[in-house]
Amino acid sequence: MATLEQIETALRAADAAGNVEDARRLAQAYATTRDSLAAPAGAFDDVRAGVSSTDRTGAAPAPKQRTAGQRFVREVLGLGTRNVVEGAADLVGILYDPIADGVNWLGEKGPTTNSLITGQRERYFPRQARARDVSDMILDGIGVPKPETAEERVAGDVGRALTGQALTMGAGTLLQTARGAGAAAAAPTTGNALARMGDFLTAQPVQQAIAAGGGALASGAAREAGFGPGGQALAGLAGALTPAGLAAAGAAGLRGLVRGRSGAGMQQAIDDFAAVGATPSVGQASGNALIQGGENLLSKFPTSAGVVNRFAEGQADDIGAGLQAAAERLSPRASAERAGRAIDRGITGEGGFKEQTKAVQTRLYDTLDAQIDPAKRIGITNAERALPEINPAIPGAPNLSPLFQNARIRNIEGALQRDAWGAEAVGTRPGMPQVIDDARGTLQAQTDDIARINTEVAAEIQRKNVLRTALGQKPIEFVPYPEMGKPEIDNEIFALLNGKADGKLPYEALKKLRTLVGQEIENAGLMSDVPRSKWRALYGALAQDMRVAAEEAGPEAVRAWTRANNYTKHLISRMDAIVHVVDKNGGPEAVFNAALSGTRDGGTTLRAVMQSLPKEGQRAVTASVIKRMGLATPGGQDAAGDVFSAATFMTNWNRLSKEARAALFDRYGKDFSANMDRVARVASNIKEGARVYANPSGTADRAAALTYGGSLVASMFDPTLISTGGVIGGGAVARYLGGKLTDPDFVRWLANTTAVPAGAALASIQSLRALGQRQGDAELVQAADQLEAQYRESNGARTGN
């Protein structure tokens, strides 16, 4: 067997050669040999039994006997002082120990030959003590006693935990004080941060103290029982959470029994009711069918009916008042009549939709007109083609066709043909009257010349015939040149004009014709002799003929025509949507009802009407709808006529399509629309809850009253009056339940999330950190830090900080 000197020499040689693996094996061999030489065989042969162990899990020596005064000084002054100092050191260690551990890690050297031989890591500078080590060294130095028994050690754990808890809460109090003193001079955000930290540290002091002491007691007892660090951690957490957990478990059980939806769902229902100025019952907030059925039964039971029904009536009044207030804010004294007048005024009145859009349309076409000469001849090809299509004849039945055609359109078609192709229209062109006069004068001069010639020729022939007669010759027959009278001259003028016909109209005439057709579209109603569809087809054809004129005039004219034509096209579409509204007979209420027609399947008419109204008119319409939506039917109304009915509201709400709701409610901001959705959810909640155990015939309340009254009378024949007390007690319980199920505070309590109190959670985290520090377990300390950070974040979010 190699000696220590031989192994050391070989180890140094391997280290110098850089052979790490050999050096490691030689170092292990050196340590094994050294240990075996340090404990020779037989060294402990004289030891037989009764070895005392310093392990806390083994048999401890019997405590020293002391007098009462000595015990007081030792346990109260000595051990109490140690517990307080060590508790403060543990609290300081939260910040100091990670720094000391980091410094110690940086101070260690890498593996060297000497450290491998001796088994001790070499350092650049001495190791720094942790906070608890420093406090123990000081206390040991001045002779402060240490715990000797398991009871004293566990009591020390509790004392240190309570000391740390007290100091933590003291720090929180100082931070709260700093909010009022120093934060005034600091930035507001700094003051808020100090306040939140102080509130966090001082939350629920009694719960914190109980949880801290319970956690330390359970953890210490687990250690003395021989549990490892993990078992001690679990015991500490259980001990800290048990007092708060029992209370939380009871609350959770009741909430779980009542809830038909989550706590968040209940809170949402409460918020919905609050938004419309009301509070829900437990059944309405929870959505629990069992609770809702119980509320309905209580509403019919004699002793509780008054409480529950008064709540329901008050709730309906609150919701109805909220809707009425919302309508009043939009438009004071809104009604169907006012809304109908607002619609009529907003569309056809002075300064209304028609007048405003007409001005815009005129301005756009004026821009086009500036690009085209008014006298320019414009073809009407599209109009000529459209007229026979929109007013067709019956093929092969020329006599029947006029009887089934629209006479006005047929007359327009004929007149347009004559104006485009007729001689009369040609005569109206600029300069044509002078041309006609000149032609007529020329023709008349020609006639006059022929007459003069005829006269002269006739006189000459007559002289010749006198001579010829004297000579016995045959007279010459006079044949005059043809002369033109007025009819012949008119025919010549007519032929002249026909030759100048081109099938066109002046741009000014075409523009005027289009304007007149547009007016017919605006004014066409249900009783018009020409349907709007025919006018629209003719208007479109004329617009296309105008586009040809714009294209001939240039790009700028085309752009102007496009803008004007697109605007007019949208305007006509809008008018098509609202014409039956503004033309509705029956007064303003009929106009209002016509605006809301078809809202189940869509919102085209309503949207067109709303877009055509000024802001005041839009508000009047929406306010009138809101006021009407929730009014109960006449049979359920009071003298004032403003009773709210959830069933009526939901019926009217469901009659409105999604598009119609958007047209009514989305134009006043997202909050307004969201509040209307909330009203709908509230009304649906009330309506659905009322269906549970419903008794439409109304016999349930009468049956309940008769049954209770009969039971009460029958119980009076019991000499002991026990049954009477039971009946009366049952009635009292029913009344109590009716009050409780409609109590807003009770409803809000049920909606709260079941959670361990903040004080218990904080104390549990601190107990976990203290255990990690005692065991030197960095992972436990790190876990406690992470838990505290997460809890602080969630607590801040829950409190709105």
Side-chain angles (χ1 to χ4, degrees), residues 390-467:
I390 63 178
N391 200 34
I394 302 175
N399 295 311
L400 285 173
S401 292
L403 301 177
F404 292 93
Q405 289 177 308
N406 186 281
R408 191 175 181 191
I409 293 296
R410 189 177 66 250
N411 292 336
I412 290 173
E413 180 183 359
L416 184 64
Q417 286 291 323
R418 292 190 295 273
D419 284 342
W421 297 101
E424 183 181 357
V426 175
T428 62
R429 296 180 189 174
M432 286 306 296
Q434 185 62 44
V435 172
I436 293 172
D437 288 343
D438 292 344
R440 189 178 293 279
T442 300
L443 293 172
Q444 186 63 50
Q446 291 176 355
T447 297
D448 293 342
D449 288 343
I450 292 173
R452 178 180 54 77
I453 293 172
N454 284 338
T455 300
E456 293 175 352
V457 171
E460 181 64 23
I461 289 176
Q462 186 177 6
R463 286 194 299 274
K464 288 181 179 182
N465 283 337
V466 171
L467 179 60

Side-chain angles (χ1 to χ4, degrees), residues 672-696:
F672 188 92
S673 182
N675 285 337
M676 289 305 301
D677 290 337
R678 279 183 160 180
V679 176
R681 289 199 297 269
V682 167
S684 177
N685 188 324
I686 296 173
K687 182 179 178 182
E688 292 301 320
R691 288 179 178 176
V692 182
Y693 298 174
N695 179 241

Side-chain angles (χ1 to χ4, degrees), residues 490-513:
D490 287 344
N491 288 336
E492 288 292 331
I493 296 297
F494 186 80
L496 172 67
L497 295 178
N498 271 336
K500 293 183 177 295
D502 55 6
K504 297 181 179 180
L505 292 179
Y507 175 77
E508 184 70 21
L510 181 62
K511 182 184 72 172
K512 183 64 175 177
L513 176 59

Side-chain angles (χ1 to χ4, degrees), residues 190 289 392 663 746 752 755:
T190 302
F746 185 64
N752 291 334

Side-chain angles (χ1 to χ4, degrees), residues 97-455:
D97 288 351
I99 299 174
D101 292 341
V103 171
N104 291 334
W105 179 79
L106 292 173
E108 289 185 353
K109 291 183 178 181
T112 63
T113 301
N114 288 334
S115 66
L116 292 172
I117 293 174
T118 62
Q120 299 293 326
R121 298 290 293 270
E122 296 184 8
R123 303 185 56 80
Y124 294 107
F125 45 80
R127 176 179 294 275
Q128 303 299 310
R130 307 184 93 207
R132 174 70 80 84
D133 298 334
V134 173
S135 67
D136 287 346
M137 181 178 61
I138 295 173
L139 293 171
D140 293 344
I142 62 177
V144 177
K146 291 183 175 182
E148 295 177 350
T149 64
E151 291 78 6
E152 289 180 347
R153 287 191 291 273
V154 172
D157 293 336
V158 175
R160 285 189 295 272
L162 293 177
T163 298
Q165 191 65 45
L167 292 175
T168 300
M169 296 185 64
T173 303
L174 291 176
L175 290 175
Q176 289 177 324
T177 304
R179 169 175 53 183
T189 54
T190 302
N192 292 337
L194 292 175
R196 289 196 296 270
M197 180 64 74
D199 294 341
F200 178 76
L201 294 177
T202 58
Q204 298 173 321
V206 176
Q207 288 281 6
Q208 289 198 50
I210 295 174
L217 177 62
S219 175
R223 182 193 62 239
E224 298 302 325
F227 287 91
Q232 296 176 41
L234 291 175
L237 286 174
L241 293 175
T242 296
L246 291 174
L254 178 58
R255 290 167 177 150
L257 177 65
V258 170
R259 285 178 183 166
R261 52 170 66 104
S262 66
M266 284 191 70
Q267 190 59 54
Q268 178 66 59
I270 293 172
D271 293 342
D272 287 343
F273 275 81
V276 297
T279 57
S281 67
V282 172
Q284 292 166 348
S286 67
N288 189 317
L290 180 64
I291 302 300
Q292 291 172 344
E295 289 177 352
N296 282 333
L297 292 178
L298 290 172
S299 71
K300 299 172 176 63
F301 200 76
T303 59
S304 56
V307 175
V308 177
N309 290 331
R310 280 194 300 272
F311 170 82
E313 292 171 1
Q315 186 184 72
D317 290 344
D318 291 340
I319 298 173
L323 283 175
Q324 297 298 315
E328 284 295 312
R329 286 193 296 271
L330 275 180
S331 180
R333 301 183 304 280
S335 66
E337 179 185 4
R338 288 177 178 271
R341 294 187 186 280
I343 292 172
D344 191 53
R345 182 171 58 251
I347 294 177
T348 63
E350 182 178 357
F353 169 74
K354 292 181 67 173
E355 187 174 296
Q356 292 179 5
T357 54
K358 184 67 176 178
V360 175
Q361 185 186 31
T362 301
R363 185 171 64 251
L364 291 174
Y365 276 110
D366 286 345
T367 303
L368 172 63
D369 296 344
Q371 308 293 324
I372 303 175
D373 182 4
K376 179 177 174 61
R377 305 289 296 174
I378 307 298
I380 56 170
T381 306
N382 291 287
E384 288 180 313
R385 184 169 54 247
L387 282 167
E389 293 176 355
I390 63 178
N391 200 34
I394 302 175
N399 295 311
L400 285 173
S401 292
L403 301 177
F404 292 93
Q405 289 177 308
N406 186 281
R408 191 175 181 191
I409 293 296
R410 189 177 66 250
N411 292 336
I412 290 173
E413 180 183 359
L416 184 64
Q417 286 291 323
R418 292 190 295 273
D419 284 342
W421 297 101
E424 183 181 357
V426 175
T428 62
R429 296 180 189 174
M432 286 306 296
Q434 185 62 44
V435 172
I436 293 172
D437 288 343
D438 292 344
R440 189 178 293 279
T442 300
L443 293 172
Q444 186 63 50
Q446 291 176 355
T447 297
D448 293 342
D449 288 343
I450 292 173
R452 178 180 54 77
I453 293 172
N454 284 338
T455 300

